[in-house]
Amino acid sequence: MEGIFKYDPVSFDEAASCAVILDQSRLPWEKSFLRIDTAEGMYDAIRQLKVRGAPAIGIAAAFGLYAVALKADDESLRDTFFEASALLRSSRPTAVNLSYALDRMEACYREHGELPSGRIRVALRNEAFRIKEEDAAMCMSVAMNALPLIERSGLRILTHCNAGHLAVSRLGTALGPVYLAMAKGLSPKVYADETRPLFQGARLTAFELMEAGIDVTLICDNMASYVMGKGLVDVVLTGCDRIAANGDVANKIGTSSVAILARHYGIPFYVLGPSSTIDPACPDGSAVEIEQRDGAEVTSMYFARPVAPAGVKVLNPAFDITPAEMITAIITERGVFYPPYDFTGRRDG
């Protein structure tokens, strides 16, 4: 399994005291890495989608805070640390993993804040690395829990956006069981929605699946009904950026459309993610703040010239809400949860 992954999307260079991220805004044209040791640099990387994917954002933020702590003067360490955390928290509002990681780093500082500054930094380092290690373990468990649901030869899977290796610490969420199925010789086949307006499916999902040797076919977002209606899809797997207490799911814009189509065609629709994506303080999808992004992403991004008339009004929500009743099951490292969703325990049948 390990040999199929050629890049670590988020890591930390201890010799240089900086976070290192694969710049996903340049994929698939260029494989370049950014070295970040300031809060402003990490804010920009998160906001501009140089690092993306809910778990990866959280890990990157934790590493960014640790890098800031290493550079800060002893006298200003506390103020610098919490100011940096507040800045990073404001970078993207929808994915809960960002606030989850920052909450943990802040709690770690408060627990060790009376110790000498050197020991505070060690504690922050250990917590940041623990966040990454726990994510890797959770993603493997998510994939193992999902594998029995897709464990047959030649299964045809449709996915939306990117919830694979590039979006997490290692294996991926929605694509995790695909990699496990490949390792078992089951030859899964994947249809990847292009995922407008930023083409994460085309640029990232297709890229990483091809790198891993998995059979992947790219389709435009508005082709999903066609491939489902032709009987070419057996199951839909997506990731998630936030799961509300009632099972509503916030994920990349267009996910709810795929869920509605899957319901119409009688195709199972599974959401996969670590339990850190569940937000028990969020009662339902209506309480999720949906990030609104620059309209230029719709009118011009990734094209040599604009594809829309100058001055046209643009609505560009980055996420939408898939209602709980449209989801066949939600799969975390704790098990498979079926409706009505109760995340306080395991519900697998």
Side-chain angles (χ1 to χ4, degrees):
M1 280 297 300
E2 291 298 312
I4 67 174
F5 299 128
K6 301 177 182 179
Y7 315 103
D8 191 343
V10 186
S11 61
F12 196 88
D13 184 338
E14 299 209 66
S17 300
C18 65
V20 181
I21 65 167
L22 175 65
D23 187 350
Q24 296 188 41
S25 69
R26 294 183 175 273
L27 290 175
W29 314 286
E30 177 186 338
K31 306 180 187 76
S32 62
F33 291 83
L34 300 176
R35 309 176 76 78
I36 301 171
D37 61 1
T38 67
E40 294 77 14
M42 188 58 75
Y43 174 92
D44 177 74
I46 295 172
R47 183 66 190 165
Q48 300 301 321
L49 308 184
K50 297 172 185 178
V51 58
R52 45 136 309 276
I57 290 171
I59 297 164
F63 281 156
L65 275 185
Y66 172 49
V68 167
L70 288 175
K71 289 184 63 178
D73 296 333
D74 290 354
E75 295 76 14
S76 61
L77 178 57
R78 174 180 286 272
D79 288 345
T80 300
F81 175 86
F82 283 99
E83 288 170 6
S85 183
L87 177 64
L88 294 178
R89 193 180 295 272
S90 69
S91 58
R92 300 195 71 188
T94 303
V96 74
N97 302 68
L98 174 62
S99 58
Y100 169 81
L102 294 174
D103 286 346
R104 285 185 54 172
M105 293 295 285
E106 290 183 3
C108 177
Y109 194 107
R110 292 188 181 96
E111 180 182 351
H112 299 90
E114 300 305 317
L115 298 176
S117 57
R119 293 181 64 183
I120 294 173
R121 293 184 178 97
V122 170
L124 293 173
R125 178 225 180 259
N126 292 341
E127 186 68 6
F129 275 83
R130 191 177 298 118
I131 289 170
K132 178 175 181 177
E133 291 163 2
E134 289 176 2
D135 179 74
M138 285 191 291
C139 286
M140 176 58 77
S141 295
V142 170
M144 293 294 292
N145 287 336
L147 184 60
L149 300 173
I150 69 165
E151 199 168 12
R152 68 176 189 267
S153 182
L155 194 74
R156 299 163 302 177
I157 301 157
L158 186 142
T159 192
H160 187 75
C161 195
N162 176 259
H165 165 58
L166 295 173
V168 299
S169 56
R170 199 63 183 153
L171 185 62
T173 53
L175 297 185
V178 177
Y179 289 125
L180 294 186
M182 182 190 73
K184 296 188 70 171
L186 295 175
S187 302
K189 304 178 187 301
V190 177
Y191 286 95
D193 283 346
E194 64 181 348
T195 321
R196 283 277 283 145
L198 295 182
F199 298 98
Q200 293 96 331
R203 295 187 304 106
L204 305 178
T205 296
F207 168 79
E208 72 166 85
L209 290 177
M210 289 182 70
E211 290 262 303
I214 289 176
D215 184 343
V216 58
T217 300
L218 179 66
I219 62 172
C220 296
D221 292 347
N222 56 6
M223 297 174 185
S225 181
Y226 174 86
V227 297
M228 290 183 185
K230 289 291 185 181
L232 300 177
V233 176
D234 299 309
V235 64
V236 178
L237 304 179
T238 75
C240 50
D241 287 85
R242 188 183 296 244
I243 302 172
N246 74 330
D248 290 350
V249 167
N251 196 50
K252 183 56 58 183
I253 190 72
T255 301
S256 63
S257 300
V258 176
I260 292 167
L261 289 171
R263 169 65 66 90
H264 174 75
Y265 288 110
I267 298 169
F269 181 95
Y270 296 115
V271 171
L272 291 79
S275 58
S276 58
T277 311
I278 300 170
D279 184 359
C282 178
D284 55 49
S286 66
V288 177
E289 180 182 355
I290 300 297
E291 178 183 359
Q292 302 290 326
R293 296 186 60 83
D294 191 336
E297 294 179 347
V298 175
T299 61
S300 302
M301 189 67 69
Y302 300 123
F303 292 101
R305 62 179 63 186
V307 295
V312 66
K313 292 189 293 184
V314 176
L315 179 65
N316 186 22
F319 304 90
D320 62 20
I321 303 297
T322 300
E325 60 267 23
M326 293 290 177
I327 301 168
T328 305
I330 295 173
I331 305 166
T332 79
E333 80 281 3
R334 303 205 319 257
V336 181
F337 295 80
Y338 292 95
Y341 293 103
D342 175 9
F343 298 113
T344 61
R346 177 171 169 160
R347 297 283 297 276
D348 53 0

